[in-house]
Amino acid sequence: MKFPKNLYYTETHEWVKVEKGYAYIGITDYAQDALGEIVFIELPEESDELSQGEEFAAIESVKAASDVMAPVSGVVVSVNEDLEDSPELLNEDPYENWIVKIELDDESELDSLMSAEEYENMSKE
Amino acid sequence: MKKTALHGEHIRLGAKMTEYAGFDMPVSYSSLKEEHHAVRKQAGVFDVSHMGEIVVLGKEATDFVDYIFTNNVRKMTAKQILYGFMCYEDGGVVDDFLVYKHNDQHYLLVVNAANTDKDFAWLQKQNTFDATVLNKTEEYSEIALQGPKAEEILQRYTETNLKDIRFFTFDEIVVNGEEFLVSRTGYTGEDGFEIYGDHEAVRALFTRLLEENDALLPCGLGCRDTLRFEVALPLYGHEISKDITPLEAGYGFAVDLDKEDFLGKDALVEQKSEGLKRRVVGLELIDKGIIREGYEVFAGEAKVGHVTSGYLAPSLGKAVAMALVEKPHTKKGAELSVKVRKRFVRAKVRNKQFYDKRQK
């Protein structure tokens, strides 16, 4: 299982990558493995406002539906539309295939998230 | 958590495990879809040792089993199997299960794992007959070998001609050098066998079948549910429950209202004569999405039911569901809407047989 070092993580198994004031949000390797084959994803729309801890997307595997929570607050500037036709990309490479790109409201929210090491330890428990 | 005799094999095979009915059971080994397709196209083997085995013995065993069962036990011949329901007085379901008839004084009831203790207690309470009820669950292990190649695979390990074990019959035969009870039954809509025996004998057979048959995949509870769902087999607590009668669920074929007496008969006769107020129907999604168990069903603004099981059916590639819906919204072709999280999606009522059974 992979835990890239340059990302922030949540207890609900999302990751955040920060680049030039924007945050990319996706689900972790642990999350995709636990879900199994992902068959459908319900995406938000551009300019939707996300607030930290709120559900903003839903991922469906054969077995069940699972909410995706916003790790940080911000406005959606881009949605990964490839996932609509190929939701299995999240199984194939959960870190390459982000779900949304948002403009961060408050960078200090990142302080509440976990490092790769902390997240890896949590996932092993 | 309880473990079946095959638990070590599941771990060795790298299964993803989950708690089910108090047992640590495999959800899937490789992938749910792959296992699902293996059963539809080749063969799969399931550990179903968590199922309950209850034996009824005695002079009035037939009278007793017939009294607690909705289907007609008196018409059964030896080595025959019958599916039906055990109901409460009000027609609600205690459990659905298979009855295996050894002879007039000896029956085996194979019940849902989550209901074994409840069923056993209920049977003891209803037993005013000259009969003995024994919970033999811990003495048996059980595997289900399912799929179009099941017969060909199992035949390699037995001298008995498996063609002689016809659909919904069983026999006690030697397989892989050990004695088993083998029935031509299953819960997948495919041809196949359910195989009961001693723990060690079942474990050895399971391991050998997988080692020597490339066409055979170990299959978990994940695809067991999608497989039964596609052929509209009910799952207790979903399509049937203490609050949903077999008639409402659409399984009247396993309820013999003409037989003399059985527990729940009066309530079911009354329900039938008054006309059903709701029914389990099939739904096919018109919009994008997947509808799942528990989602609410609407006709316009009014809530008219709920989804009992729902999937993106692997054999169809379509989002379909079974739902308990109030009449008159149960007519085929009727357009309803289902609340998926915060939005509504459109769905059309259809028959609930999403995939055609291919049993022999």
Side-chain angles (χ1 to χ4, degrees):
Chain A
M1 201 150 290
K2 290 177 190 156
F3 302 93
K5 293 286 179 211
N6 57 334
L7 308 179
Y8 297 93
Y9 295 86
T10 66
E11 287 176 9
T12 45
H13 309 288
E14 293 89 10
W15 58 259
V16 183
K17 183 163 89 177
V18 180
E19 250 177 36
K20 297 171 193 165
Y22 292 105
Y24 294 85
I25 300 170
I27 60 163
T28 66
D29 201 10
Y30 180 94
Q32 71 78 20
D33 184 64
L35 283 165
E37 293 138 305
I38 294 166
V39 292
F40 183 74
I41 176 158
E42 193 177 300
L43 295 164
E45 286 173 14
E46 276 178 27
S47 71
D48 278 2
E49 288 179 29
L50 311 187
S51 51
Q52 191 177 31
E54 194 184 62
E55 66 200 56
F56 72 93
I59 294 179
E60 308 240 14
S61 67
V62 181
K63 270 179 290 180
S66 172
D67 291 327
V68 188
M69 312 291 196
V72 285
S73 310
V75 176
V76 176
V77 294
S78 182
V79 174
N80 185 355
E81 283 167 1
D82 291 349
L83 297 176
E84 279 194 345
D85 294 328
S86 310
E88 70 280 1
L89 290 170
L90 289 177
N91 290 120
E92 288 162 14
D93 193 341
Y95 297 113
E96 189 61 35
N97 294 290
W98 48 273
I99 298 170
V100 287
K101 177 183 176 184
I102 67 169
E103 196 171 340
L104 272 173
D105 279 351
D106 179 0
E107 286 209 18
S108 71
E109 282 181 349
L110 294 166
D111 298 339
S112 61
L113 304 178
M114 284 184 275
S115 68
E117 197 182 347
E118 285 166 332
Y119 178 67
E120 186 172 354
N121 289 334
M122 188 199 87
S123 309
K124 280 178 182 164
E125 272 166 22
Chain B
M1 227 185 307
K2 287 185 268 188
K3 291 175 180 173
T4 71
L6 303 183
H7 189 268
E9 298 301 308
H10 305 321
I11 302 299
R12 193 176 59 77
L13 292 163
K16 208 174 274 181
M17 306 293 287
T18 191
E19 194 266 332
Y20 182 77
F23 286 84
D24 192 31
M25 298 297 288
V27 185
S28 71
Y29 299 81
S30 47
S31 104
L32 194 162
K33 271 198 216 167
E34 211 178 298
E35 292 165 25
H36 179 106
H37 294 312
V39 173
R40 288 273 181 259
K41 291 171 187 154
Q42 308 232 22
V45 62
F46 300 81
D47 178 10
V48 283
S49 302
H50 58 313
M51 300 289 284
E53 285 87 9
I54 295 174
V55 171
V56 180
L57 298 170
K59 272 191 189 152
E60 294 180 346
T62 302
D63 296 336
F64 180 39
V65 179
D66 193 58
Y67 175 64
I68 56 89
F69 203 52
T70 59
N71 218 336
N72 198 322
V73 175
R74 291 179 200 280
K75 287 185 184 163
M76 291 178 78
T77 53
K79 306 276 174 78
Q80 199 196 334
I81 300 163
L82 198 58
Y83 174 76
F85 304 90
M86 180 158 75
C87 285
Y88 294 105
E89 305 262 1
D90 68 359
V93 179
V94 183
D95 201 3
D96 65 322
F97 51 79
L98 295 179
V99 169
Y100 288 63
K101 177 174 181 171
H102 284 274
N103 58 54
D104 287 339
Q105 300 187 19
H106 183 186
Y107 293 86
L108 169 68
L109 281 42
V110 181
V111 306
N112 281 301
N115 292 338
T116 307
D117 293 341
K118 177 184 77 176
D119 292 352
F120 184 58
W122 177 256
L123 285 162
Q124 283 182 308
K125 193 177 153 198
Q126 302 304 330
N127 185 10
T128 53
F129 295 79
D130 184 358
T132 311
V133 186
L134 302 166
N135 185 353
K136 297 270 191 185
T137 302
E138 291 186 1
E139 293 176 26
Y140 287 98
S141 279
E142 185 196 349
I143 55 175
L145 178 62
Q146 301 281 298
K149 292 204 168 163
E151 182 185 288
E152 177 193 324
I153 290 171
L154 194 62
Q155 192 64 71
R156 292 175 197 152
Y157 303 93
T158 181
E159 309 264 302
T160 304
N161 185 354
L162 291 173
K163 295 206 186 309
D164 294 339
I165 303 181
R166 286 167 298 108
F167 187 51
F168 266 62
T169 69
F170 69 97
D171 208 350
E172 287 159 299
I173 64 170
V174 174
V175 182
N176 197 29
E178 302 274 358
E179 280 211 11
F180 295 91
L181 189 161
V182 176
S183 62
R184 198 166 205 129
T185 49
Y187 206 49
T188 59
E190 298 297 327
D191 186 29
F193 300 91
E194 293 182 294
I195 304 164
Y196 305 76
D198 292 340
H199 302 306
E200 184 47 34
V202 171
R203 197 199 57 73
L205 179 62
F206 179 82
T207 309
R208 189 164 180 209
L209 287 172
L210 286 172
E211 272 171 9
E212 297 178 0
N213 296 281
D214 291 339
L216 180 67
L217 283 191
C219 293
L221 293 179
C223 76
R224 189 169 159 80
D225 201 49
T226 54
L227 288 159
R228 71 91 198 163
F229 165 76
E230 285 185 341
V231 292
L233 291 165
L235 181 62
Y236 190 82
H238 296 246
E239 285 71 37
I240 46 167
S241 71
K242 69 176 177 53
D243 302 315
I244 311 172
T245 73
L247 301 181
E248 291 172 323
Y251 303 99
F253 67 86
V255 180
D256 184 356
L257 292 176
D258 295 329
K259 76 175 185 177
E260 206 176 289
D261 192 24
F262 66 90
L263 262 174
K265 182 182 171 183
D266 293 347
L268 293 172
V269 166
E270 192 183 319
Q271 189 173 55
K272 193 172 180 186
S273 67
E274 285 184 355
L276 297 174
K277 295 186 175 62
R278 50 183 199 167
R279 262 186 49 218
V280 174
V281 297
L283 293 180
E284 184 165 329
L285 207 52
I286 298 167
D287 296 319
K288 272 191 175 179
I290 299 174
I291 41 184
R292 306 274 184 188
E293 179 200 346
Y295 289 3
E296 295 178 328
V297 179
F298 293 80
E301 301 279 297
K303 192 192 158 192
V304 296
H306 72 272
V307 173
T308 55
S309 299
Y311 281 108
L312 183 75
S315 303
L316 289 77
K318 277 186 198 167
V320 287
M322 288 193 270
L324 182 63
V325 173
E326 287 167 21
K327 285 194 166 183
H329 308 288
T330 50
K331 286 209 183 86
K332 289 204 177 76
E335 195 177 304
L336 300 172
S337 64
V338 180
K339 193 175 177 196
V340 178
R341 292 175 286 275
K342 291 168 196 160
R343 64 195 180 96
F344 288 87
V345 294
R346 292 175 301 155
K348 208 172 246 184
V349 176
R350 54 161 289 170
N351 70 339
K352 59 186 193 289
Q353 194 75 39
F354 304 117
Y355 186 84
D356 290 332
K357 288 185 197 171
R358 291 187 299 174
Q359 286 155 335
K360 287 186 182 168

